[in-house]
Amino acid sequence: SRAPRFNAWMGDTIRPLCGQRILEIGSGTGNLTRQLVPRDRYVASDVNPLYLSTLGSLTADRPYLDVQLTDVTRKETFPKAGADFDTVICLNVLEHVEDDRGALENIRAVLAPGGRALVLVPRGPGLMGTLDEVLGHRRRYTPESLRAVAAGAGFEVKEIHPFNRVGTPAWWLNGKLLRRRSFGLVQIWMLNLLTPVFRRVDRFLPFPPLSLIAV
């Protein structure tokens, strides 16, 4: 929430891949949700009651927007009535759950025929460090491991987009070398300030991406 330009970058990356009937899993306080509405139907979801309360405030003037508790690991919590989503968005969620394949199977079950899941995960097992520990990450992925778990859940992986190369050295410095347990506010401020530059140069940087977006 303190880096709205970064959120806009992520939103602009995801938006062209989205349909008109969206289920977003792990919406948090709605940083991405705000970037992707309006739609014909949009269900924003989370497991945190405080986040759900914040999300609920977004529905007042958005009749197409619903908010509900959805736990990606529990199929019975997914929307049931009219669950024919053409897009399910699941960003920074799979790395937190024990059974990532089961979570993807639950996602697949609510997609309409021909629908797509947009899944963002952290890349690079070698980057696992104190920041991952604080955030509750169970794993970081490679393109191969992400393709494998998606295929095991019955998905066909169309493409995998690299995202945020510029973040990789910062994550390594903070989480591996310095073993910090948070990003300082100055770093977040700098991230937000410099995001317009990062967006232009990111694909030219010689680093692997910090995140992967699978379609």
Side-chain angles (χ1 to χ4, degrees):
S1 63
R2 298 185 188 220
R5 291 177 175 177
F6 185 84
N7 292 328
W9 180 16
M10 184 176 291
D12 290 343
T13 301
I14 294 292
R15 190 179 298 108
L17 304 170
C18 293
Q20 287 296 320
R21 303 185 311 279
I22 296 177
L23 167 63
E24 182 190 356
I25 294 173
S27 302
T29 58
N31 292 324
L32 183 66
T33 309
R34 293 178 178 90
Q35 300 291 329
L36 299 180
V37 293
R39 300 283 160 172
D40 291 347
R41 184 187 182 203
Y42 200 112
V43 177
S45 70
D46 208 279
V47 295
N48 186 316
L50 293 178
Y51 293 166
L52 292 172
S53 177
T54 302
L55 289 168
S57 67
L58 301 179
T59 65
D61 57 349
R62 297 179 174 95
Y64 54 82
L65 177 62
D66 293 321
V67 172
Q68 76 163 63
L69 187 151
T70 300
D71 183 340
V72 73
T73 66
R74 296 172 53 208
K75 188 175 181 179
E76 68 273 15
T77 67
F78 277 63
K80 294 177 176 59
D84 59 344
F85 300 101
D86 56 30
T87 311
V88 175
I89 300 170
C90 184
L91 307 188
N92 292 314
V93 173
L94 281 191
E95 65 272 17
H96 293 274
V97 303
E98 182 175 355
D99 183 9
D100 52 355
R101 173 176 168 174
L104 286 173
E105 289 174 345
N106 292 338
I107 289 172
R108 187 170 179 268
V110 296
L111 278 168
R116 61 175 56 178
L118 308 178
V119 179
L120 183 145
V121 295
R123 186 214 63 85
L127 288 174
M128 284 289 289
T130 50
L131 292 174
D132 295 278
E133 179 184 337
V134 169
L135 291 170
H137 291 176
R138 295 174 178 267
R139 66 190 75 82
R140 300 182 70 91
Y141 293 79
T142 65
E144 294 75 20
S145 66
L146 183 54
R147 285 182 181 276
V149 71
F155 279 107
E156 177 186 358
V157 179
K158 293 289 189 181
E159 51 195 339
I160 295 181
H161 298 272
F163 182 73
N164 189 19
R165 288 182 176 88
V166 73
T168 298
W171 195 272
W172 176 84
L173 176 65
N174 284 278
K176 292 287 285 188
L177 185 62
L178 300 179
R179 299 189 61 79
R180 290 175 174 166
R181 302 184 69 81
S182 67
F183 279 107
L185 291 180
V186 172
Q187 291 188 65
I188 299 297
W189 180 80
M190 290 295 294
L191 169 65
N192 187 59
L193 178 68
L194 295 175
T195 289
V197 177
F198 295 158
R199 293 181 64 160
R200 290 181 176 272
V201 305
D202 194 72
R203 60 178 175 159
F204 302 110
L205 295 177
F207 314 121
L210 189 64
S211 300
L212 301 170
I213 303 173
V215 182

